[in-house]
Amino acid sequence: QVRLVESGGGSVQAGGSLRLSCAASGATVSTRNMAWFRQAPGKEREGVAAIYTRSGTTYYADSVKGRFTISQDNAKNTLYLQMNSLKPEDTATYHCAATFKLILNGDVLRDNKYNYWGQGTQVTVSS
């Protein structure tokens, strides 16, 4: 079991930055993949960024590539999402997710591959 708690959301103007954190507890050493997803009202959940926790290899959705950075601090059992050059279309509830299973790199942004989820943190970007 892994418990995930997100923080760091808020309201910013377009062009601003936020850093989200996801504190993990429980059987964290067993996680193989972690990721950030987001869901805006009336839209499907979207994979934003993912990381292989043992190698550090990262993947990004095209919509955030070059603006967002996923990283991890293994000593703190914390996952981060640095979001720069934010746009109004980035407005959503952001969730972190984890799994013990190794996901093929083509599937790392698919939400059905993850079985542990946090409650989410709201990000609102105004124009």
Side-chain angles (χ1 to χ4, degrees):
Q1 288 277 359
V2 175
R3 181 170 181 258
L4 304 172
V5 179
E6 302 95 336
S7 61
S11 297
V12 296
Q13 289 192 326
S17 298
L18 282 173
R19 188 176 81 156
L20 305 183
S21 299
C22 173
S25 59
T28 56
V29 296
S30 297
T31 59
R32 303 296 296 274
N33 287 86
M34 295 189 74
W36 288 97
F37 290 80
R38 66 186 181 188
Q39 189 164 23
K43 294 189 176 181
E44 291 188 356
R45 187 157 54 189
E46 174 191 17
V48 173
I51 187 167
Y52 283 92
T53 57
R54 298 187 184 183
S55 69
T57 302
T58 58
Y59 294 85
Y60 297 93
D62 288 342
S63 57
V64 306
K65 204 171 290 183
R67 299 189 298 123
F68 290 11
T69 303
I70 187 172
S71 63
Q72 59 185 355
D73 184 331
N74 292 332
K76 295 181 179 180
N77 289 327
T78 301
L79 183 73
Y80 300 101
L81 185 68
Q82 177 67 44
M83 305 186 295
N84 299 328
S85 302
L86 282 162
K87 305 175 181 180
E89 50 264 43
D90 294 319
T91 295
T93 300
Y94 285 71
H95 299 266
C96 66
T99 180
F100 294 160
K101 298 180 181 179
L102 186 62
I103 304 173
L104 295 177
N105 56 19
D107 292 334
V108 291
L109 294 180
R110 294 183 184 271
D111 59 359
N112 63 355
K113 298 297 183 182
Y114 295 83
N115 49 353
Y116 297 104
W117 291 84
Q119 297 275 30
T121 185
Q122 177 67 37
V123 171
T124 303
V125 185
S126 58
S127 57

